[in-house]
Amino acid sequence: MLTLREELSKTHGIANDGSPFIIAEMSGNHNQSLDRALAIVDAAAATGADAIKIQTFTADSMTLDLSDGEFTITDPKSLWYGRTLYDLYQEAHTPAEWHKPIADRAKEHGLLFMSTPFSEDAVDLLESLDAPLYKIASFEAIDLPLIRRVAQTGKPMIISTGMASVVEIGEAVEAAREAGCTNLSLLKCTSSYPASPENTNLVTMPVIGQTFGVNFGLSDHTMGNGVAVAATALGGSVIEKHFILDRSEGGVDSAFSLEPDEFTALVTECRRAAQAMGQIWFGGTASEQAGRKKRRSLYIAEDLKAGDELTAQNLRRIRPGLGLAPRHYEVLLGRRVGRDVKRGTPMSWDLLDAPDS
């Protein structure tokens, strides 16, 4: 299977440079302002991200307008403690009429526009805008009908695994493939906000890839860039991170979103990590060959006359590296030179007296 970057380089002309496909997630950080949403697109493009992602839903497509019991967030540790689900989704949603302006602005920058749909109607809206790929959120990884609908578009699909068990991931993969998805990426995701590095368990990523025969990557809810860089080093081909203009403005996802300078650093460091992986290589690369002259080698350290014996005092293991290799040192001790030799001469076999016949 082609990586997501390889696939999109064929269909949408993005650079195929071997680096992870990096998604800036706007989510609800527009704070219900289209102008701010467009400014977020502009800023995301400047960071070097490959795509800007929004979420396509209405509060009614997500939950019921109730405040009783489980419809209110009662966990005091939650960023959204005390909020009803309906009010939270109402605040976080991106209005349908904003989608085209956001998509158009992204296109102006050469930035791919994508979204996470939460209903079949959302997929229809995104298809009308010719969305190039889709993301399934971790909480919807068990919504097999939604996964099938997205797969039927024939576009590449990303699924965050979040809390999904191995069986649930397998069901999602099977549903996607049976419905027509041919390019699937599964993201390791810790569905807590913000997530801690200790709960990220990145070593699961390659196992996901091996188990299900898919591309893999990370949907990162931690702060900072270290976790995303580590995911890249483990072979992650997709990195997703929340993006905001200024955390101090607040917003539903502001606490675990990166500001522009931070996101630029994330893009830079993830690409460096991908470049650094390279291939298995011993013996020095082409760029290192000049450094061979700086290695240690054997040098004559005192003026010698023909017939003088090589000793630990007059044969030294020093830099630079133009003499015989230090591995010959013990063999040469006790041998005699066959001619006068000046101090500072690199040791070579032709300096030796001919052995007795």
Side-chain angles (χ1 to χ4, degrees):
M1 180 187 297
L2 296 177
T3 67
L4 184 57
R5 178 172 288 283
E6 290 169 337
E7 178 77 19
L8 292 171
S9 72
K10 293 170 54 182
T11 59
H12 288 79
I14 71 166
N16 185 15
D17 58 7
S19 64
F21 184 79
I22 299 179
I23 302 166
E25 162 70 91
M26 182 188 307
S27 183
N29 285 332
H30 47 63
N31 290 347
Q32 290 304 303
S33 165
L34 177 57
D35 286 342
R36 184 180 281 108
L38 296 176
I40 288 173
V41 175
D42 295 340
T47 69
D50 295 295
I52 183 76
K53 188 174 83 67
I54 62 173
Q55 298 182 6
T56 305
F57 64 85
T58 64
D60 287 311
S61 71
M62 297 291 282
T63 190
L64 300 177
D65 188 5
L66 295 173
S67 58
D68 301 334
E70 62 269 29
F71 290 94
T72 293
I73 299 170
T74 57
D75 180 1
K77 296 181 180 179
S78 172
L79 294 173
W80 309 294
Y81 174 67
R83 302 284 302 275
T84 68
L85 296 179
Y86 193 90
D87 287 346
L88 181 63
Y89 297 136
Q90 187 68 25
E91 177 187 338
H93 89 288
T94 301
E97 61 271 20
W98 292 10
H99 281 51
K100 189 175 188 307
I102 292 171
D104 289 345
R105 182 65 67 90
K107 187 175 182 180
E108 290 173 12
H109 289 293
L111 193 65
L112 291 184
F113 164 79
M114 60 179 294
S115 184
T116 297
F118 289 83
S119 67
E120 287 81 354
D121 288 344
V123 178
D124 293 340
L125 171 60
L126 293 166
E127 279 295 281
S128 74
L129 298 171
D130 197 25
L133 71 159
Y134 288 90
K135 164 77 187 300
I136 299 293
S138 60
F139 289 87
E140 276 61 46
I142 57 172
D143 189 345
L144 302 184
L146 177 61
I147 289 172
R148 293 189 188 98
R149 175 65 187 94
V150 170
Q152 287 166 1
T153 68
K155 310 284 181 63
M157 186 191 309
I158 303 168
I159 302 176
S160 275
T161 57
M163 303 150 289
S165 67
V166 172
V167 171
E168 289 168 337
I169 296 172
E171 290 173 343
V173 170
E174 182 179 13
R177 286 176 170 159
E178 287 182 348
C181 178
T182 59
N183 190 285
L184 179 61
S185 301
L186 297 182
L187 304 189
K188 180 71 181 69
C189 172
T190 303
S191 299
S192 54
Y193 308 90
S196 67
E198 296 85 352
N199 288 328
T200 304
N201 299 311
L202 288 182
V203 292
T204 311
M205 289 193 319
V207 177
I208 288 173
Q210 294 161 8
T211 302
F212 299 104
V214 296
N215 300 312
F216 58 87
L218 175 70
S219 179
D220 186 13
H221 300 141
T222 66
M223 292 307 298
N225 298 335
V227 173
V229 172
T232 303
L234 286 170
S237 60
V238 180
I239 302 293
E240 177 188 60
K241 191 89 168 179
H242 282 70
F243 182 66
I244 195 169
L245 294 177
D246 184 348
R247 277 192 296 273
S248 68
E249 293 179 351
V252 291
D253 294 336
S254 59
F256 50 92
S257 298
L258 296 187
E259 295 179 352
D261 287 348
E262 296 167 329
F263 206 96
T264 299
L266 174 126
V267 171
T268 299
E269 296 306 323
C270 284
R271 289 181 176 158
R272 283 176 178 166
Q275 291 168 348
M277 294 306 295
Q279 57 186 308
I280 297 171
W281 190 280
F282 295 98
T285 61
S287 65
E288 294 176 277
Q289 296 311 309
R292 289 184 175 275
K293 295 180 181 179
K294 299 176 183 178
R295 303 170 91 190
R296 285 181 179 249
S297 69
L298 301 180
Y299 267 77
I300 300 299
E302 298 175 356
D303 290 339
L304 299 179
K305 298 292 185 181
D308 283 350
E309 181 178 310
L310 294 172
T311 67
Q313 286 71 43
N314 60 37
L315 182 66
R316 296 278 307 280
R317 305 186 306 277
I318 60 170
R319 297 182 182 185
L322 301 182
L324 289 174
R327 66 175 177 273
H328 301 298
Y329 179 70
E330 286 86 358
V331 171
L332 289 169
L333 291 178
R335 297 288 298 273
R336 297 181 184 277
V337 295
R339 57 182 170 86
D340 293 353
V341 185
K342 291 183 63 175
R343 181 175 184 262
T345 300
M347 185 65 202
S348 61
W349 294 113
D350 61 8
L351 296 182
L352 294 177
D353 192 5
D356 295 336
S357 57

